[in-house]
């Protein structure tokens, strides 16, 4: 398929124009006009780029790309090495941040909820990024943690009474600990995100709402993978998801 066809489809599907984001969404580095092989991954790290080039990718699709708000605008050091590698091999880089978190079908939040058996009942937070929902049947915090560990293949950090009954849950993948207080106001029993901050520990203890940090990388592997599979099926190109391990 043509690079512009892929970009137009992704931009429309993810409705990027309605988001105020911390980075540009869409094509970030231009490469080949024609795309036969697409590699997806969570973050456009050097390891992912090298693995994608080995896989003979014409395009890479990620959740965490480049050119973040507030970063040094100069293309030097690590950024220079990454971009130079892409341009040397004429590999396109597509990146979608908040649009990929929020999407009802391919979004990280929607897919994490599906993986964990959570039923969505509403959205809250800036740009409706965070989700509130419930389990089909109440369980304990300890049992929920064990399910998360089995599903994400990563032991979560949990703050709260392990015997606490959990039924109503709010969640937001990645580094969404700043939404914890808003989640508490939703009247939930637990909040799931990727990372935890020092102040979140005290908020969990004082509110009685459990805080579960299940891993930034671990909670955001599913959206980009599902989106890549969708592209492969719709346009008949090859797709491979490459998971570069990250303990955070």
């Amino acid at each position: 398929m043509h690079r512009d066809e892929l970009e137009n489809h992704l931009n429309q599907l993810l409705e990027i124009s309605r988001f105020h984001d911390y980075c540009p969404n869409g094509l970030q580095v231009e490469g080949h006009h024609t795309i036969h092989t697409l590699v997806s991954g969570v973050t456009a790290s050097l390891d992912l780029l090298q693995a994608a080039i080995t896989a003979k990718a014409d395009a890479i699709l990620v959740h965490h790309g480049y050119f973040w708000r507030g970063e040094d605008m100069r293309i030097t050091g690590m950024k220079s090495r990454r971009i130079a590698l892409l341009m040397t091999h004429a590999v396109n880089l597509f990146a979608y941040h908040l649009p990929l978190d929020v999407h009802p079908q391919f979004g990280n939040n929607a897919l994490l909820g599906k993986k964990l058996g959570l039923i969505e009942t509403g959205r809250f937070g800036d740009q409706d990024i965070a989700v509130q929902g419930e389990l089909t049947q109440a369980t304990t915090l300890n049992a929920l943690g064990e399910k998360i560990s089995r599903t994400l293949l990563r032991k979560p950090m949990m703050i709260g009474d392990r015997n606490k009954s959990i039924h109503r849950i709010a969640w937001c993948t990645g580094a969404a600990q700043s939404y914890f207080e808003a989640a508490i106001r939703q009247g939930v029993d637990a909040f799931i995100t990727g990372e935890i901050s020092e102040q979140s520990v005290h908020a969990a203890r004082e509110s009685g709402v459990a805080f579960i940090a299940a891993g930034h990388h671990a909670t955001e592997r599913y959206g980009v993978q599902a989106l890549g599979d969708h592209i492969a099926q719709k346009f008949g190109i090859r797709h491979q998801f490459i998971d570069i391990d990250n303990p955070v």
Side-chain angles (χ1 to χ4, degrees):
M1 63 182 306
H2 194 281
R3 177 190 63 229
D4 294 346
E5 183 182 12
L6 177 56
E7 182 182 20
N8 290 336
H9 177 74
L10 288 171
N11 290 354
Q12 291 177 22
L13 177 67
L14 298 176
E15 300 180 287
I16 67 170
S17 61
R18 73 183 184 90
F19 291 93
H20 302 288
D21 214 333
Y22 312 101
C23 61
N25 289 294
L27 181 65
Q28 291 191 339
V29 179
E30 187 176 284
H32 287 297
H33 289 93
T34 305
I35 298 172
H36 299 282
T37 300
L38 173 70
V39 161
S40 64
V42 177
T43 299
S45 64
L46 190 63
D47 284 343
L48 178 64
L49 304 189
Q50 290 171 335
I53 289 167
T54 299
K56 302 187 184 305
D58 307 297
I60 301 172
L61 173 66
V62 296
H63 181 49
H64 301 137
Y66 305 150
F67 313 113
W68 297 91
R69 183 192 305 163
E71 74 174 18
D72 190 338
M73 295 177 65
R74 296 173 298 171
I75 301 177
T76 60
M78 179 175 65
K79 186 189 296 184
S80 174
R81 290 189 292 273
R82 291 173 171 181
I83 294 175
L85 185 63
L86 287 168
M87 298 189 73
T88 297
H89 293 273
V91 178
N92 298 282
L93 177 67
F94 294 89
Y96 295 90
H97 186 231
L98 293 184
L100 191 57
D101 286 319
V102 174
H103 196 272
Q105 181 179 358
F106 301 112
N108 288 319
N109 284 326
L111 289 169
L112 179 65
K114 186 176 181 179
K115 288 278 184 182
L116 296 178
L118 306 177
I119 301 170
E120 180 177 333
T121 58
R123 296 280 178 127
F124 67 97
D126 183 41
Q127 302 180 82
D128 285 334
I129 188 173
V131 187
Q132 61 186 89
E134 58 188 26
L135 291 163
T136 55
Q137 185 174 354
T139 187
T140 64
L141 177 59
N142 192 61
L144 178 59
E146 290 176 353
K147 182 174 185 178
I148 291 172
S149 183
R150 291 193 305 269
T151 303
L152 303 187
L153 304 178
R154 182 188 188 279
K155 186 177 180 179
M157 177 182 288
M158 300 192 299
I159 308 299
D161 179 358
R162 299 301 177 97
N163 296 315
K164 176 183 173 68
S165 178
I166 305 295
H167 179 57
R168 297 189 64 201
I169 300 177
W171 70 96
C172 190
T173 64
Q177 55 268 53
S178 63
Y179 289 105
F180 187 34
E181 289 190 9
I184 293 170
R185 292 193 293 271
Q186 304 304 311
V188 298
D189 304 308
F191 177 64
I192 303 171
T193 187
E195 302 179 21
I196 186 168
S197 299
E198 189 272 345
Q199 64 265 29
S200 301
V201 174
H202 303 293
R205 290 172 178 168
E206 294 175 28
S207 67
V209 177
F211 191 108
I212 303 172
H216 192 139
H217 177 87
T219 58
E220 296 196 323
R221 287 177 296 186
Y222 304 111
V224 72
Q225 187 173 358
L227 187 58
D229 287 343
H230 160 75
I231 293 299
Q233 292 168 11
K234 182 174 180 64
F235 295 102
I237 65 173
R238 294 183 294 273
H239 168 241
Q240 179 183 355
F241 173 72
I242 298 178
D243 192 19
I244 304 297
D245 182 62
N246 189 324
V248 175

